[in-house]
Amino acid sequence: MSPVARLHAALKPDWLRDPKVWRTEVLGGLVVALALIPEAISFSIIAGVDPAIGLFASFTMAVVISVVGGRRAMISAATGAVALVIAPLNREHGLGYLIAAVILAGVFQIVLGALGVAKLLRFVPRSVMVGFVNSLAILVFMAQIKELRDVPWVVYPLVVAGLALMVFFPRITKAVPAPLVSIVILTVVTVAAGIAVPTVGDKGALPSSLPGPGLPDVPFTLDTLTLIAPYALAMALVGLMESLMTATLVDEITDTRSSKTRESIGQGVANIVTGFFGGMGGCAMIGQTMINVKVSGARTRLSTFLSGVFLMVLCIVFGPVVSDIPMAALVAVMVMVCFATFDWHSVAPKTLRRLPAGEIAVTAITVVCVVATHNLAVGVVTGSVTAIVIFARRVAHLADVTAVTDPDGTTVVYRVTGELFFASSNDLVGRFGYATDPDKVVIDLSAAHIWDASSVAALDAIETRYAQRGKTVEIIGLDEPSAALHDKLSGELTPG
């Protein structure tokens, strides 16, 4: 093979080089598309819009993000988190304002992405990530419970049969995703036997044509911008948080890295396109992403792209057939996703015995907040703040002061060790013997580091107390960053 031919082959995407990868991606996209339909319809109901609005959003989000997103194989579509944020705007002011807010949210996401908001993800500790994953699994499971209430008894054995198929079919072959096999078999059984059970068609009418681009039907005035801006900002933040957390989860599952900045900007672009096509906006979907990545084994952008394409094809071309899919089949798929998503190792007795109590508390608080509010942002922020407080308390106790007096009694050396910041430096002032110390005091900070203005203010207070007694203080051992901060702020933090 010539060098040019080798280069051409290397530049081909995986799904073109390997037929097995191509098959996995195509089938994964199909399974996700089937699972997206009832979800998109349900989220449309939450937002108070026609089901077609949610389906259009899922189509455009998936297709656009497959090209511009930073995380391969992740699924973005209409989501419940976004629906909850924009529902009040639609209810009070109408669809036009909702669409305008979606477009503005996309602009916000691009700006936030360009400003590096994705870097804030490094401040989310692992215990919060575990809580995020487990709470999502719980929420997805809870969403299936309503599909099992007030239904014919035959729905329950159908769900069990669907779960059994997904557990045992992979032992026969993994060439075809087990969820797809389960959906097809249960649909054939219910239609052929004439079993009356809730179906996808009962959720709402499927669209019969592709969406067309257009501008939102709102006055383009400052009043409109003022009205939609708070909703758009909330949607942008919730969407980015859910998308970036999901991308991090997929990174861990696939043992690959992704560009969070590109994903943030890509989410913005996808929402702008979705808004111009009359969709309700969205972000990454944990449930469908787990179907695609963990259950189906997809790894490329092709599966994401095809999930959107298949969604529209299924709705427009095969609408009558898709409408006959029993909800029991899709419930079984989502229950399996919940089981695969939940981090069972995190709640194992062996793990809980070894983990610090603070780590367990942070995970539990994250789960409780997310499940109670159905808002991922609330849980992640609360969990992260709790983790920061616990960490600050823990590190604060590591700061210590020891004193050594010279044999001649003329000098005392205080050796300070640990990290000096607002939590630890507040107790620093009380650790010195101002009245009993000799006239010369040396504070050795060679084993410490100054992090903030509170620490500089504490050192100033110590020097002031000694000066009031006619004693001199010498501070030695500062590393370069600590010395720079001390020189900059010392004497400037209290009124002269």
Side-chain angles (χ1 to χ4, degrees), residues 96-165:
Y97 286 88
L98 182 151
I99 300 302
V102 170
I103 296 172
L104 183 58
V107 174
F108 283 149
Q109 288 177 327
I110 292 175
V111 173
L112 290 170
L115 292 175
V117 70
K119 295 178 181 178
L120 295 177
L121 201 64
R122 70 182 67 176
F123 295 104
V124 178
R126 183 185 179 279
S127 53
V128 174
M129 275 294 298
V130 171
F132 167 80
V133 171
N134 289 350
S135 59
L136 279 173
I138 294 170
L139 284 181
V140 173
F141 180 80
M142 290 172 60
Q144 310 314 308
I145 299 298
K146 63 183 179 182
E147 303 295 342
L148 300 176
R149 292 175 179 165
D150 301 321
V151 294
W153 67 269
V154 73
V155 167
Y156 303 110
L158 285 174
V159 171
V160 173
L163 290 171
L165 282 168

Side-chain angles (χ1 to χ4, degrees), residues 158-173 176-187 189 329 332 336:
L158 285 174
V159 171
V160 173
L163 290 171
L165 282 168
M166 284 183 284
V167 170
F168 295 109
F169 185 80
R171 300 183 182 181
I172 301 173
T173 178
V176 182
L180 180 59
V181 174
S182 177
I183 291 170
V184 170
I185 290 178
L186 293 187
T187 302
V189 169
M336 184 60 70

Side-chain angles (χ1 to χ4, degrees), residues 418-433:
E419 307 301 319
L420 300 182
F421 64 110
F422 62 90
S424 58
S425 60
N426 286 336
D427 296 330
L428 194 64
V429 178
R431 305 290 293 276
F432 294 80

Side-chain angles (χ1 to χ4, degrees), residues 282-316:
C283 62
M285 298 188 75
I286 182 69
Q288 276 64 25
T289 297
M290 289 301 100
I291 291 175
N292 196 44
V293 174
K294 205 163 187 178
V295 180
S296 300
R299 292 293 184 270
T300 76
R301 298 179 185 275
L302 180 63
S303 57
T304 305
F305 176 81
L306 289 179
S307 68
V309 173
F310 283 148
L311 174 64
M312 280 293 100
V313 171
L314 289 169
C315 291
I316 296 172

Side-chain angles (χ1 to χ4, degrees), residues 38-99:
E39 293 279 301
I41 294 174
S42 298
F43 297 146
S44 299
I45 295 171
I46 293 173
V49 299
D50 187 83
I53 304 297
L55 290 166
F56 288 158
S58 296
F59 163 63
T60 53
M61 287 292 297
V63 169
V64 175
I65 205 67
S66 69
V67 178
V68 300
R71 173 63 259 176
R72 293 180 296 173
M74 191 167 76
I75 305 298
S76 291
T79 60
V82 169
L84 288 170
V85 171
I86 60 178
L89 179 62
N90 178 67
R91 184 170 56 249
E92 296 173 16
H93 301 282
L95 180 61
Y97 286 88
L98 182 151
I99 300 302

Side-chain angles (χ1 to χ4, degrees), residues 2-18:
S2 67
V4 175
R6 284 197 298 269
L7 178 62
H8 184 265
L11 292 175
K12 281 185 178 180
D14 293 341
W15 53 271
L16 279 179
R17 283 183 279 161
D18 189 343

